[in-house]
Amino acid sequence: MVIDSAFPAHIERFPTDENWVVQNGLKIPARKLAAEGCEVVFATYPAGLTLAPHRHDDLDIAGVVTKGLVRLTIDGDERHYGPGDWFHVPTSVEHSATYEQETSQVELIFPPSAHTTATQP
């Protein structure tokens, strides 16, 4: 499968995350930038991909769509996100996704403690 990247060439030089498995062993093209207290992932999901309902007890995810369209259901609330739209998947909240077209996203993945620490005075 060949997927055109929606990311600038300098991002394409970031290391490939060979272990970026989204579900059931499916791997997608992803680049990862190490950051203190979070991971920054640049991922492109293929058209037609559906991720079944699941939760992450060890992750808090914020992201922005840079290309394409994703239908996210987060805690029973379904919304569509396109280029420029930000989303948030809180820790331990059930969510699913359907990628209606090839979709690129920048995802900021935090351990749950990072969110708690950042919001405390």
Side-chain angles (χ1 to χ4, degrees):
M1 164 186 3
V2 175
I3 296 177
D4 292 328
S5 176
F7 302 112
H10 59 279
I11 290 173
E12 289 300 321
R13 291 191 293 265
F14 291 163
T16 301
D17 184 350
E18 300 296 334
N19 297 315
W20 191 251
V21 177
V22 292
Q23 202 167 63
N24 299 327
L26 174 67
K27 293 184 180 185
I28 61 161
R31 304 282 178 173
K32 188 174 3 178
L33 175 65
E36 187 173 332
C38 83
E39 292 182 334
V40 181
V41 177
F42 301 83
T44 301
Y45 297 89
L49 174 65
T50 296
L51 301 179
H54 62 286
R55 66 184 74 235
H56 306 282
D57 292 330
D58 57 346
L59 303 175
D60 187 274
I61 303 170
V64 62
V65 175
T66 60
K67 172 187 161 190
L69 182 67
V70 59
R71 183 171 16 112
L72 287 176
T73 302
I74 302 171
D75 201 22
D77 182 26
E78 180 181 299
R79 295 187 184 188
H80 290 80
Y81 297 88
D85 292 335
W86 282 87
F87 60 87
H88 177 233
V89 181
T91 302
S92 301
V93 172
E94 184 174 272
H95 59 284
S96 61
T98 299
Y99 295 90
E100 298 176 355
Q101 53 189 262
E102 184 177 282
T103 301
S104 296
Q105 299 173 180
V106 178
E107 299 175 24
L108 307 171
I109 303 171
F110 300 91
S113 60
H115 179 70
T116 303
T117 302
T119 59
Q120 292 180 350

